[in-house]
Every structure is written in structure tokens, then in C-alpha cells.
Amino acid sequence: MKVLFVCLGNICRSPLAEAIFKHKVKSIDLDGSIYADSCGTAGYHIGELADPRTRANAQKNGVTITHRGRQLQSSDLEEFDYILAMDQSNLSNIKRLSNSELYSEKIYLMRSFDPHPGEEVPDPYYGDEKDFQQVFEILDRSIDHFLKEIRAKLL
Ligand code: 4NP
């Protein structure tokens, strides 16, 4: 199974989501059967490590991010089984790229798996440490619930 996390720049939210997800997948010994990656709808940060504030916050929470930025490409829609968008704008950009209804059933908002109310994972880029920590917590619990759902399908 292949899972892709998508945000705008691929330096804050989606590389963090990818790293949290991989960390959890490994802890339940499913890293042999689940592949994960992340990308941005924009191409501003191709090849870059995640934002230093995101990496520092992740490290503080026990998660290491090694991802390098890349841009979403149309072949991703074919290749991945789940495509998880951080916000509505990412979601509509992904759907625009797909240019058909063919892939719509595999494209979700990340927070559709969040048990707490809220639609979007807020962009922390212009925020402070409190905003980065809030993003971590939203992703941590949304990914727990997402993982529960896909795990049931793998068994
Ligand atoms: P992300 O945050 O989409 O969570 O990676 C952003 C990072 C950089 C920019 C925008 C959003 N930027 O405009 O450079």
C-alpha cells in the first residue's frame, strides 16, 4: 500500500506527516507493507530539507525528518493508493491535476481522519513554535486514526 502526504511547499506539514506516519508504521512492524512519501503542490523548495523549525519540533517530539522536497506530479495520482491533502487549497490543486473523476476516491483531507473538529492542517510557515506544536498534535492524532483504518484493510 502506498500513501502520499501533500501540502503546498513540502517543507512544513507534509514531510512532518510522512515522518510521523513512518515512525508509527515501523513501530507496529508494517514498514514492509506500507510505503509513504510526501510532496508539495508548488515547486518552491525542490531538493530542500524540511524547514528547520519543523525539524526541530519533530525532533523534540521524538521524530526525525530526512525528506527532501519534491513537487506533486500527475503520475502520483496513478501510483498512490491514498493521497492526503493538508488543506482545501491543496485538495483542489490535486484534483485539478487529476483532471478526471478517476482518482477522486483516493484523495482525502488529512483531517477527515481527525477525531477533533477541524477541516484543515493550518500552515505554520508564518507562525511560531506554538503553531508548529499544534500542527504536530493535529497530525499525530489524525495519523493514528488513519492508520487504524488502513490497518483494518491490510489484515
Ligand atoms: P507547507 O508550508 O505547505 O506546510 O510546506 C509552506 C512552506 C513554504 C511556503 C508555503 C507553505 N512558501 O510559500 O514558501
Side-chain angles (χ1 to χ4, degrees):
M1 178 172 296
K2 291 184 159 194
V3 180
L4 182 65
F5 298 91
V6 185
C7 63
L8 174 61
N10 194 213
I11 54 167
C12 293
R13 294 164 292 175
S14 65
L16 177 62
E18 176 198 338
I20 294 172
F21 181 71
K22 284 179 169 169
H23 186 80
K24 290 180 187 293
V25 162
K26 195 163 196 288
S27 75
I28 54 172
D29 280 333
L30 281 179
D31 45 324
S33 35
I34 302 178
Y35 172 80
D37 194 13
S38 67
C39 65
T41 57
Y44 314 133
H45 300 286
I46 294 170
E48 293 178 22
L49 283 171
D51 188 289
R53 298 165 298 171
T54 299
R55 285 187 283 131
N57 174 269
Q59 208 63 55
K60 194 184 90 186
N61 288 287
V63 173
T64 302
I65 307 177
T66 56
H67 181 78
R68 295 263 175 188
R70 75 163 180 95
Q71 189 171 16
L72 177 71
Q73 53 194 32
S74 51
S75 59
D76 291 324
L77 294 152
E78 174 79 43
E79 182 183 340
F80 285 86
D81 303 300
Y82 284 91
I83 299 169
L84 300 169
M86 298 298 133
D87 64 31
Q88 290 286 0
S89 161
N90 310 146
L91 186 81
S92 56
N93 284 325
I94 298 165
K95 288 194 168 168
R96 189 170 318 131
L97 185 68
S98 85
N99 203 19
S100 94
E101 288 300 297
L102 202 61
Y103 303 116
S104 59
E105 79 280 5
K106 51 183 176 179
I107 308 171
Y108 298 86
L109 270 178
M110 180 79 256
R111 288 194 75 176
S112 64
F113 297 95
D114 188 353
H116 294 206
E119 285 222 320
E120 304 197 329
V121 182
D123 187 348
Y125 192 64
Y126 294 105
D128 59 22
E129 166 57 20
K130 166 175 67 51
D131 301 293
F132 282 85
Q133 183 60 24
Q134 185 197 20
V135 166
F136 186 94
E137 288 169 18
I138 291 170
L139 288 174
D140 191 56
R141 61 176 191 255
S142 300
I143 288 168
D144 272 339
H145 285 260
F146 171 64
L147 196 48
K148 232 178 247 170
E149 182 155 324
I150 61 168
R151 205 178 167 184
K153 292 187 182 169
L154 284 171
L155 298 175

